[in-house]
Amino acid sequence: MTQIIKKSVFQNSHVDTWIQEVIQLCQPQSVWWCDGSEAEKQTLTEKALAEGELVSKHGKNVINEEALPGCFLHRSAPNDVARVEKLTFICTQNEADAGPLNQWMAPQEAYEKLGAIFKGCMQGKTLYVIPFLMGPQGSELARVGIQVTDSPYVVLNMRIMTRMGQPAWDTLGTTDAFTRCLHAKADLSMDRRFICHFPEDNTVWSVGSGYGGNALLGKKCMALRIGSYLGQQQGWLAEHMLIIGIENPEGKIHYVAAAFPSQCGKTNLSMLLPPEALKGYKIWTVGDDIAWLAPGPDGRLWAINPEAGFFGVAPGTSEKTNPSALQMVQHDTIFTNVALTSDGKVWWEGLGEAPQEAQDWQGKDWTPQSTS
């Protein structure tokens, strides 16, 4: 029998029904309803350190907490280090509705194929229920998601990347207007790894990966892929765009949304600092990756950043390329698959002079000569 070790105080019959279906399918030992509190963060951090989901030494954080307060290190499985686009599918009744650039799988085939992998995959594990809000609370464009996962690392990341807990419940109310996000690391087998989107059911199923956008289902899965369908149905757009605000010395503000492909410097551009020649100007980041846009009643185009935190690829990020980002990650950051120096700091290619000795992303001893 499944044990409830942390219960939700919020009641929604649609959520309860779905969670019971997930419990029956995945057969977890216990269920933890996340509330997004500081106390919960502390408890789950200690649990992740004890279980090895966050790198520890004798159960203690390996990161130098004086140099990098609130920061932790995670190492993913060697076969689980990137988004798996070839295993990512849009599952619509009509193949043409998946779009020209996406892979398609029939919904019934996907549910059956992934359902067989999910069946019993959480035996002996805790199932975490994560209510989260994409977008600022109170915004007409904000949307609710609920992710179920077997990974406390995912919970801690979702706490950073979304507005988790009560804001989601307050927005959802008693309706069924939420994206159903089912995730499990399962056995991390490449042969049993899929990310499937069911736009017509407002549902995402992801199994076999604990890494990045494969596992944090509020990001690419909900904010872009499911968001594109919701936007099409509801009259708005979900786009891969940065948003920045620019204020001149007279206090007039302009907002700029710009679309760029991945890994081309979009985050760097979104975090610009005004040059000396433009004293009095202010520039701030509204969003660095995803924008939800809609025409307003005044005829202007309005946009929000559905995310609450930042998730980016570290190599190449430095004081020269993006001083804002580098300063930002000096506290309250979860680093994944970066080198750990002997003094408990982190390093990656492009950050600066390489340390004389470190542990690489798999925890093996490394020196600059190792790659020469």
Side-chain angles (χ1 to χ4, degrees), residues 42-89:
Q42 181 66 29
T43 299
L44 290 182
T45 297
E46 292 172 358
K47 180 177 171 62
L49 287 168
E51 295 178 354
E53 285 240 318
L54 295 176
V55 181
S56 67
K57 186 175 182 179
H58 308 302
K60 300 295 184 181
N61 188 8
V62 295
I63 295 289
N64 184 331
E65 296 189 20
E66 290 187 6
L68 297 167
C71 295
F72 298 90
L73 176 63
H74 170 76
R75 293 179 180 136
S76 62
N79 74 340
D80 187 26
V81 296
R83 288 209 312 268
V84 285
E85 301 298 341
K86 68 179 182 179
L87 300 175
T88 300
F89 297 89

Coordinates of all heavy atoms in Angstrom, one line a residue, residues 42-89:
Q42 N 15.0 22.4 2.4 CA 16.1 22.0 3.2 C 16.0 20.4 3.4 O 17.0 19.7 3.3 CB 16.0 22.7 4.6 CG 17.1 22.3 5.6 CD 18.5 22.7 5.2 OE1 18.6 23.7 4.5 NE2 19.5 21.9 5.6
T43 N 14.8 19.9 3.6 CA 14.6 18.5 3.8 C 15.0 17.7 2.6 O 15.7 16.7 2.6 CB 13.2 18.2 4.2 OG1 12.9 18.9 5.4 CG2 13.0 16.7 4.4
L44 N 14.6 18.2 1.4 CA 14.9 17.5 0.2 C 16.3 17.6 -0.2 O 16.9 16.7 -0.8 CB 14.0 18.0 -1.0 CG 12.5 17.6 -0.8 CD1 11.7 18.1 -2.0 CD2 12.3 16.1 -0.7
T45 N 16.9 18.7 0.1 CA 18.4 18.9 -0.2 C 19.2 17.9 0.6 O 20.1 17.2 0.1 CB 18.8 20.3 0.2 OG1 18.2 21.2 -0.7 CG2 20.3 20.4 0.0
E46 N 18.8 17.7 1.9 CA 19.5 16.8 2.8 C 19.3 15.3 2.3 O 20.2 14.5 2.3 CB 19.0 16.9 4.2 CG 19.4 18.2 4.9 CD 18.8 18.4 6.2 OE1 18.0 17.6 6.6 OE2 19.1 19.5 6.9
K47 N 18.1 15.1 1.8 CA 17.7 13.8 1.3 C 18.5 13.5 0.0 O 19.1 12.4 -0.2 CB 16.2 13.7 1.0 CG 15.7 12.4 0.4 CD 14.2 12.5 0.2 CE 13.6 11.3 -0.6 NZ 13.8 10.0 0.1
A48 N 18.6 14.5 -0.9 CA 19.4 14.3 -2.1 C 20.8 14.1 -1.9 O 21.5 13.4 -2.6 CB 19.1 15.5 -3.1
L49 N 21.4 14.8 -0.9 CA 22.8 14.6 -0.5 C 23.0 13.2 0.0 O 24.0 12.5 -0.3 CB 23.2 15.6 0.5 CG 23.4 17.1 0.0 CD1 23.6 18.1 1.2 CD2 24.6 17.2 -0.9
A50 N 22.1 12.8 0.9 CA 22.2 11.4 1.5 C 22.1 10.3 0.5 O 22.8 9.3 0.6 CB 21.2 11.3 2.6
E51 N 21.2 10.5 -0.6 CA 21.0 9.5 -1.6 C 21.9 9.6 -2.8 O 21.9 8.7 -3.7 CB 19.5 9.6 -2.0 CG 18.5 9.3 -0.9 CD 17.1 9.4 -1.4 OE1 16.9 9.8 -2.5 OE2 16.2 9.0 -0.6
G52 N 22.8 10.6 -2.8 CA 23.7 10.8 -3.9 C 23.2 11.5 -5.1 O 23.9 11.6 -6.1
E53 N 22.0 12.0 -5.1 CA 21.5 12.8 -6.2 C 22.2 14.1 -6.3 O 22.4 14.7 -7.4 CB 20.0 13.0 -6.1 CG 19.1 11.8 -6.4 CD 18.2 12.1 -7.6 OE1 17.6 13.1 -7.6 OE2 18.1 11.2 -8.4
L54 N 22.6 14.7 -5.2 CA 23.6 15.8 -5.1 C 24.9 15.2 -4.6 O 24.9 14.4 -3.7 CB 23.1 16.9 -4.2 CG 21.8 17.6 -4.7 CD1 21.3 18.6 -3.6 CD2 21.9 18.3 -6.0
V55 N 26.0 15.7 -5.2 CA 27.3 15.1 -4.8 C 27.7 15.5 -3.4 O 27.6 16.7 -3.0 CB 28.4 15.6 -5.8 CG1 29.7 15.0 -5.4 CG2 28.0 15.2 -7.2
S56 N 28.0 14.5 -2.6 CA 28.4 14.8 -1.2 C 29.6 14.0 -0.8 O 30.0 13.0 -1.5 CB 27.2 14.4 -0.3 OG 27.0 13.0 -0.3
K57 N 30.2 14.3 0.3 CA 31.3 13.6 0.9 C 30.9 13.3 2.3 O 30.7 14.3 3.1 CB 32.6 14.3 0.8 CG 33.8 13.5 1.3 CD 35.1 14.3 1.1 CE 36.3 13.5 1.5 NZ 37.6 14.2 1.3
H58 N 30.6 12.1 2.7 CA 30.1 11.7 4.0 C 28.8 12.4 4.3 O 28.6 12.9 5.4 CB 31.2 12.0 5.1 CG 32.5 11.5 4.8 ND1 32.8 10.1 4.6 CD2 33.8 12.1 4.7 CE1 34.0 9.9 4.4 NE2 34.7 11.1 4.4
G59 N 28.0 12.6 3.3 CA 26.7 13.2 3.4 C 26.7 14.7 3.5 O 25.6 15.3 3.6
K60 N 27.9 15.3 3.3 CA 28.0 16.8 3.4 C 28.2 17.3 2.0 O 28.9 16.7 1.1 CB 29.1 17.2 4.3 CG 29.0 16.7 5.7 CD 27.8 17.3 6.4 CE 27.7 16.9 7.9 NZ 26.5 17.5 8.6
N61 N 27.8 18.5 1.7 CA 27.9 19.2 0.5 C 29.4 19.3 0.1 O 30.2 19.8 0.9 CB 27.3 20.6 0.6 CG 27.3 21.3 -0.8 OD1 27.5 20.8 -1.8 ND2 26.9 22.6 -0.7
V62 N 29.8 19.0 -1.1 CA 31.2 19.1 -1.6 C 31.5 20.5 -2.0 O 32.7 20.8 -2.2 CB 31.5 18.1 -2.7 CG1 31.4 16.7 -2.2 CG2 30.6 18.3 -3.9
I63 N 30.5 21.3 -2.3 CA 30.8 22.7 -2.7 C 31.2 23.6 -1.5 O 30.7 23.4 -0.4 CB 29.5 23.3 -3.4 CG1 29.1 22.5 -4.6 CG2 29.6 24.8 -3.7 CD1 30.0 22.8 -5.8
N64 N 32.2 24.4 -1.8 CA 32.6 25.4 -0.8 C 31.5 26.4 -0.5 O 31.3 27.3 -1.3 CB 33.9 26.1 -1.3 CG 34.5 27.1 -0.2 OD1 33.8 27.6 0.6 ND2 35.8 27.2 -0.3
E65 N 30.8 26.3 0.6 CA 29.6 27.1 0.9 C 30.0 28.5 1.2 O 29.1 29.4 1.1 CB 28.8 26.4 2.0 CG 28.2 25.1 1.6 CD 27.2 24.5 2.5 OE1 26.7 25.3 3.3 OE2 27.0 23.3 2.5
E66 N 31.2 28.8 1.6 CA 31.6 30.2 1.8 C 31.8 30.9 0.5 O 31.4 32.1 0.3 CB 32.9 30.3 2.6 CG 32.7 29.9 4.1 CD 33.9 30.1 4.9 OE1 34.9 30.7 4.4 OE2 34.0 29.7 6.1
A67 N 32.4 30.2 -0.5 CA 32.6 30.8 -1.8 C 31.3 30.8 -2.7 O 31.1 31.7 -3.4 CB 33.7 30.0 -2.5
L68 N 30.5 29.7 -2.6 CA 29.3 29.6 -3.4 C 28.2 29.2 -2.5 O 27.7 28.1 -2.5 CB 29.6 28.5 -4.4 CG 30.7 28.7 -5.5 CD1 31.0 27.5 -6.2 CD2 30.3 29.8 -6.4
P69 N 27.6 30.2 -1.7 CA 26.5 29.9 -0.8 C 25.3 29.4 -1.5 O 24.9 29.9 -2.5 CB 26.3 31.2 -0.1 CG 26.8 32.2 -1.0 CD 28.0 31.6 -1.7
G70 N 24.7 28.3 -0.9 CA 23.5 27.8 -1.4 C 23.6 27.0 -2.7 O 22.6 26.7 -3.4
C71 N 24.8 26.7 -3.1 CA 25.1 25.9 -4.4 C 25.4 24.5 -4.1 O 25.9 24.1 -3.1 CB 26.3 26.6 -5.1 SG 26.0 28.3 -5.7
F72 N 25.0 23.6 -5.1 CA 25.2 22.2 -5.0 C 25.7 21.7 -6.4 O 25.5 22.3 -7.4 CB 24.0 21.5 -4.5 CG 23.5 21.9 -3.2 CD1 22.7 23.0 -3.0 CD2 24.0 21.3 -2.0 CE1 22.3 23.4 -1.7 CE2 23.6 21.7 -0.8 CZ 22.8 22.8 -0.6
L73 N 26.2 20.5 -6.4 CA 26.7 19.8 -7.6 C 25.9 18.5 -7.8 O 25.7 17.7 -6.9 CB 28.2 19.5 -7.4 CG 28.9 18.7 -8.6 CD1 28.8 19.5 -9.9 CD2 30.3 18.4 -8.2
H74 N 25.6 18.3 -9.1 CA 24.9 17.1 -9.5 C 25.7 16.5 -10.6 O 26.2 17.2 -11.5 CB 23.5 17.4 -9.9 CG 22.8 16.2 -10.6 ND1 22.3 15.1 -9.9 CD2 22.5 15.9 -11.9 CE1 21.7 14.3 -10.7 NE2 21.9 14.7 -11.9
R75 N 25.8 15.1 -10.7 CA 26.4 14.4 -11.8 C 25.3 13.5 -12.3 O 24.8 12.6 -11.6 CB 27.6 13.7 -11.4 CG 28.8 14.6 -11.0 CD 30.0 13.8 -10.5 NE 31.1 14.7 -10.2 CZ 31.8 14.6 -9.1 NH1 31.6 13.5 -8.2 NH2 32.8 15.4 -8.8
S76 N 25.0 13.6 -13.6 CA 24.1 12.7 -14.2 C 24.8 11.4 -14.7 O 26.0 11.4 -14.7 CB 23.4 13.4 -15.4 OG 24.3 13.7 -16.4
A77 N 24.0 10.4 -15.0 CA 24.5 9.2 -15.5 C 25.3 9.4 -16.8 O 24.9 10.3 -17.6 CB 23.4 8.2 -15.8
P78 N 26.4 8.7 -17.1 CA 27.2 9.0 -18.3 C 26.4 8.9 -19.6 O 26.8 9.5 -20.6 CB 28.3 7.9 -18.2 CG 28.4 7.6 -16.7 CD 27.0 7.7 -16.2
N79 N 25.3 8.1 -19.6 CA 24.5 8.0 -20.8 C 23.3 8.9 -20.9 O 22.4 8.8 -21.7 CB 24.0 6.5 -21.0 CG 22.9 6.2 -20.0 OD1 22.7 6.9 -19.0 ND2 22.1 5.1 -20.3
D80 N 23.4 9.9 -20.0 CA 22.2 10.8 -19.8 C 22.7 12.2 -19.6 O 22.6 12.8 -18.5 CB 21.4 10.3 -18.6 CG 20.1 11.1 -18.4 OD1 19.5 11.6 -19.5 OD2 19.6 11.2 -17.3
V81 N 23.2 12.8 -20.7 CA 23.9 14.1 -20.6 C 23.3 15.2 -21.6 O 23.9 16.2 -21.7 CB 25.4 14.0 -20.8 CG1 26.0 13.1 -19.7 CG2 25.7 13.4 -22.2
A82 N 22.2 14.9 -22.3 CA 21.8 15.8 -23.3 C 20.3 15.6 -23.6 O 19.7 14.5 -23.3 CB 22.6 15.7 -24.6
R83 N 19.6 16.6 -24.1 CA 18.3 16.5 -24.6 C 18.3 15.4 -25.7 O 19.1 15.5 -26.6 CB 17.7 17.8 -25.1 CG 17.4 18.8 -24.0 CD 16.2 19.7 -24.4 NE 16.4 20.3 -25.7 CZ 16.9 21.4 -26.0 NH1 17.5 22.1 -25.0 NH2 17.0 21.9 -27.2
V84 N 17.3 14.6 -25.7 CA 17.3 13.5 -26.7 C 16.2 13.8 -27.8 O 15.1 13.3 -27.7 CB 17.0 12.1 -26.1 CG1 18.2 11.6 -25.4 CG2 15.9 12.2 -25.1
E85 N 16.6 14.7 -28.7 CA 15.6 15.1 -29.7 C 15.1 13.9 -30.6 O 13.9 13.9 -31.0 CB 16.3 16.2 -30.6 CG 16.8 17.4 -29.9 CD 15.7 18.2 -29.2 OE1 14.5 18.0 -29.5 OE2 16.0 19.0 -28.3
K86 N 16.0 13.0 -30.8 CA 15.5 11.8 -31.7 C 14.5 10.9 -31.0 O 13.8 10.1 -31.6 CB 16.7 11.0 -32.1 CG 17.4 10.3 -31.0 CD 18.6 9.5 -31.6 CE 19.3 8.7 -30.5 NZ 20.4 7.8 -31.0
L87 N 14.4 11.1 -29.7 CA 13.4 10.3 -28.9 C 12.3 11.2 -28.4 O 11.6 10.8 -27.5 CB 14.1 9.6 -27.7 CG 15.3 8.6 -28.1 CD1 16.0 8.1 -26.9 CD2 14.7 7.5 -28.9
T88 N 12.1 12.3 -29.0 CA 11.1 13.3 -28.6 C 10.0 13.3 -29.6 O 10.3 13.5 -30.8 CB 11.7 14.7 -28.4 OG1 12.7 14.7 -27.4 CG2 10.6 15.7 -28.0
F89 N 8.8 13.1 -29.2 CA 7.7 13.0 -30.2 C 6.5 13.9 -29.8 O 6.2 14.2 -28.6 CB 7.2 11.5 -30.2 CG 8.2 10.5 -30.6 CD1 9.1 10.0 -29.7 CD2 8.3 10.2 -32.0 CE1 10.0 9.0 -30.1 CE2 9.3 9.3 -32.4 CZ 10.1 8.7 -31.4

